[in-house]
């Protein structure tokens, strides 16, 4: 089901996120759960959007979230492409702001369990230690980050992000 709803580029980014999450947590099961939660949340939001379930007020939040995701994506790539500009606190803050917007958007639509999934995903990816591992210049995650940024650039060029 997820493969039908998620484009190839996003799928490749998710694969790289899984690999770096597994590397960081040293726990294949936890990495799988984080990615499963991410995909579930993304699909639920996509379905709500495609079926016009959001009110006018929520559509304003959708637009704010879209802009924040775009800003976050450009920051992720910029921190990779321009050495020594990485600031884990800036990126963590942006991801937490995205999390807050997602919660606001789906407040009346999704269950507390799904809100827990949102927290699980964003708290992991916004964790400053995870971000430091991901962006480490001499770390094992550098090739994964390169592939993620290539995918993000493609999504930015195609105006998906």
């Amino acid at each position: 089901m997820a493969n039908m709803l998620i484009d190839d580029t996003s799928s490749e980014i998710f694969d790289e996120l899984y690999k770096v999450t597994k590397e960081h947590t040293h726990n294949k099961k936890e990495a799988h759960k984080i990615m499963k939660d991410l995909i579930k949340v993304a699909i639920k939001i996509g379905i709500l959007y495609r079926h016009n379930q959001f009110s006018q007020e929520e559509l304003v939040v959708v637009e704010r979230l879209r802009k924040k995701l775009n800003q976050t994506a450009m920051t992720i790539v910029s921190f990779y492409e321009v050495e020594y500009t990485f600031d884990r606190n800036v990126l963590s803050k942006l991801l937490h702001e995205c999390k807050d917007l997602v919660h606001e958007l789906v407040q009346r639509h999704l269950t507390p369990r799904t809100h827990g999934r949102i927290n699980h995903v964003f708290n992991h990816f916004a964790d400053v230690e995870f971000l430091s591992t991901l962006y480490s210049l001499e770390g094992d995650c550098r090739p994964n980050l390169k592939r993620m940024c290539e995918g993000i650039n493609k999504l930015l060029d195609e105006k998906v992000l």
Side-chain angles (χ1 to χ4, degrees), residues 1-159:
M1 174 87 176
N3 291 337
M4 292 171 28
L5 299 172
I6 297 174
D7 64 90
D8 290 342
T9 303
S10 297
S11 181
E12 290 168 10
I13 294 168
F14 287 175
D15 288 345
E16 297 304 324
L17 281 172
Y18 169 74
K19 291 173 190 172
V20 296
T21 296
K22 187 172 78 170
E23 174 75 24
H24 179 73
T25 63
H26 304 291
N27 185 332
K28 185 178 178 179
K29 187 176 178 183
E30 176 63 12
H32 181 75
K33 183 168 177 17
I34 290 167
M35 295 311 299
K36 187 175 173 183
D37 286 351
L38 172 61
I39 291 167
K40 281 182 178 184
V41 169
I43 288 173
K44 286 178 181 188
I45 292 171
I47 289 171
L48 288 168
Y49 185 78
R50 285 190 185 129
H51 289 97
N52 301 312
Q53 296 298 303
F54 294 126
S55 67
Q56 285 303 321
E57 296 82 16
E58 289 166 337
L59 289 174
V60 171
V61 177
V62 166
E63 196 51 39
R64 285 178 33 222
L65 176 59
R66 189 172 298 180
K67 286 178 181 173
K68 186 60 68 177
L69 287 171
N70 179 276
Q71 177 189 6
T72 303
M74 290 192 301
T75 302
I76 288 168
V77 172
S78 174
F79 283 165
Y80 168 74
E81 290 179 345
V82 184
E83 285 189 15
Y84 305 109
T85 58
F86 170 65
D87 184 329
R88 65 191 194 170
N89 294 317
V90 168
L91 194 48
S92 179
K93 182 177 182 282
L94 284 170
L95 289 165
H96 281 295
E97 289 170 2
C98 289
K99 175 181 74 172
D100 293 343
L101 287 169
V102 171
H103 278 303
E104 184 180 346
L105 177 63
V106 300
Q107 185 61 47
R108 70 179 187 96
H109 299 280
L110 302 178
T111 65
R113 185 173 184 170
T114 300
H115 284 277
R117 286 185 178 118
I118 293 165
N119 287 334
H120 187 227
V121 168
F122 279 97
N123 290 344
H124 168 71
F125 290 118
D127 177 70
V128 291
E129 295 307 318
F130 170 77
L131 293 171
S132 295
T133 299
L134 180 62
Y135 277 88
S136 172
L137 291 174
E138 61 278 336
D140 295 336
C141 297
R142 201 75 183 159
N144 305 94
L145 180 59
K146 178 183 187 286
R147 288 187 290 274
M148 279 188 272
C149 288
E150 289 168 353
I152 291 169
N153 268 328
K154 185 175 179 186
L155 295 177
L156 287 167
D157 289 346
E158 294 170 355
K159 307 274 190 251

